[in-house]
Amino acid sequence: MNPVARIFYTLRSILFLIGQVVITVFFSATGVLISPFVSPYNNGRYFVVGNWLIIKWLRVCCGVRLKIEGQMPSPKAPFVVMANHQSQWETFFLQWYLFPVATVLKKELLSIPFFGTALKTMKSIGIDRDNPRASIRQIMEEGVDRISNNYNLLIFPEGTRMPPGQFGNFARGGAGISIKADVPIIPIAHNAGRCWPAKSHVIQPGLITVVVGEPIYPEGREAKQLTQDVAEWIKQQCERIG
C-alpha cells in the first residue's frame, strides 16, 4: 500500500470508528433505558439494529461491500453456528444475520462500558479463557440452555482471530453442544480479515464474501469427527474465496 493510500484509508477508518462508538453508545444507553418496558427478546432485537447500522456505516465510510453465498435454513433457530474468526466485522454481522443468537466470547468483553451491556442483553456467554476446564462446562451448560430457548448459538472455534490463510485449532465445544442438544451445525466461512485485519485499525475497501454451508447433522458422529468435518469445510471455502 502506497503512503498516500494508507493516509486516506486511515482517515476513513478513524471516521468509521467515531461513528461506531456513537452508534454503540446510543443503542446501548437507550437499550438499557427501554429494557424495563420490553421483553428481553425485543431488547436484543433493538441492539441488533445497532450492529446492522455499523455494517452500513462501514460501507459508506470505508467502501466495504458484502456478498453472501448460501442462506440459513428456515426457521433460523436453533442451530449451532461455527465460523472462522479473522476480524471484528463478523461479530457485528453475524449477530445481526443470525438473530436470535447467543455468542460465546471472552468474558472481558462483557465489562466494556455500553458494548458489554448490549452483549449481556443478547444472552452472550462470557468464558474465562484462563480456565479451560471450567469454560468447557460453562459452554456446554449455557449453550444447551440457549438452544432450548430457541436461540442460535454462535461459536468461533479457533478462539482467537487469525490472519487470512491461517487457522487456529478448532475446539470441540460446538460439536459437543450439537450432539447433546441434537441440533445441526451450520458452518460459515468468510474473508473479512482482507478488509478489516485483526491487528490493524486501518480498514481497506473491498468485498467481504460470507459462505453459509448446508447443515451438518450430529447423528453417527463423535465430537472429534464432527469438528474435523466443519474445520475442513471452512478451510476449503476460505481457500476458494481468498
Side-chain angles (χ1 to χ4, degrees), residues 1-17 58 61-62 64 87-88 192-206:
M1 184 188 306
N2 66 65
V4 175
R6 185 171 185 83
I7 291 173
F8 178 62
Y9 294 156
T10 299
L11 292 175
R12 295 207 303 184
S13 300
I14 291 172
L15 180 60
F16 164 73
L17 291 172
L58 182 64
C61 283
C62 301
V64 176
S87 170
Q88 292 185 42
R194 298 290 182 187
C195 295
W196 190 344
K199 296 183 179 181
S200 174
H201 295 296
V202 180
I203 301 169
Q204 301 181 40

Side-chain angles (χ1 to χ4, degrees), residues 4-175:
V4 175
R6 185 171 185 83
I7 291 173
F8 178 62
Y9 294 156
T10 299
L11 292 175
R12 295 207 303 184
S13 300
I14 291 172
L15 180 60
F16 164 73
L17 291 172
I18 292 172
Q20 177 188 345
V21 170
V22 171
I23 292 170
T24 300
V25 171
F26 174 81
F27 277 87
S28 298
T30 54
V32 171
L33 292 176
I34 68 172
S35 60
F37 309 103
V38 299
S39 70
Y41 179 90
N42 286 330
N43 204 31
R45 184 186 297 277
Y46 178 78
F47 285 116
V48 165
V49 173
N51 286 354
W52 177 81
L53 286 176
I54 288 172
I55 296 298
K56 295 298 182 182
W57 181 237
L58 182 64
R59 175 163 185 169
V60 171
C61 283
C62 301
V64 176
R65 296 170 288 117
L66 169 63
K67 175 184 177 183
I68 301 176
E69 297 180 2
Q71 60 182 2
M72 290 291 292
S74 182
K76 286 188 174 181
F79 301 104
V80 174
V81 179
M82 295 173 65
N84 61 307
H85 202 13
Q86 293 185 357
S87 170
Q88 292 185 42
W89 181 89
E90 61 268 18
T91 59
F92 297 117
F93 172 75
L94 291 176
Q95 286 181 353
W96 165 75
Y97 183 70
L98 300 172
F99 185 83
V101 61
T103 306
V104 177
L105 40 75
K106 57 184 180 181
K107 68 176 184 179
E108 290 80 4
L109 295 176
L110 301 178
S111 301
I112 298 176
F114 299 108
F115 182 63
T117 302
L119 292 175
K120 291 176 183 177
T121 302
M122 295 173 68
K123 305 298 182 182
S124 298
I125 301 173
I127 61 171
D128 182 0
R129 295 197 297 187
D130 292 330
N131 191 342
R133 183 172 297 180
S135 295
I136 292 172
R137 290 197 301 269
Q138 180 186 0
I139 291 172
M140 188 66 65
E141 293 173 4
E142 296 188 25
V144 171
D145 173 74
R146 300 299 191 271
I147 289 173
S148 68
N149 284 283
N150 291 320
Y151 278 79
N152 290 313
L153 183 69
L154 173 60
I155 295 180
F156 299 106
E158 296 166 285
T160 189
R161 289 173 288 178
M162 302 295 295
Q166 299 181 30
F167 299 93
N169 293 323
F170 280 62
R172 302 179 191 177

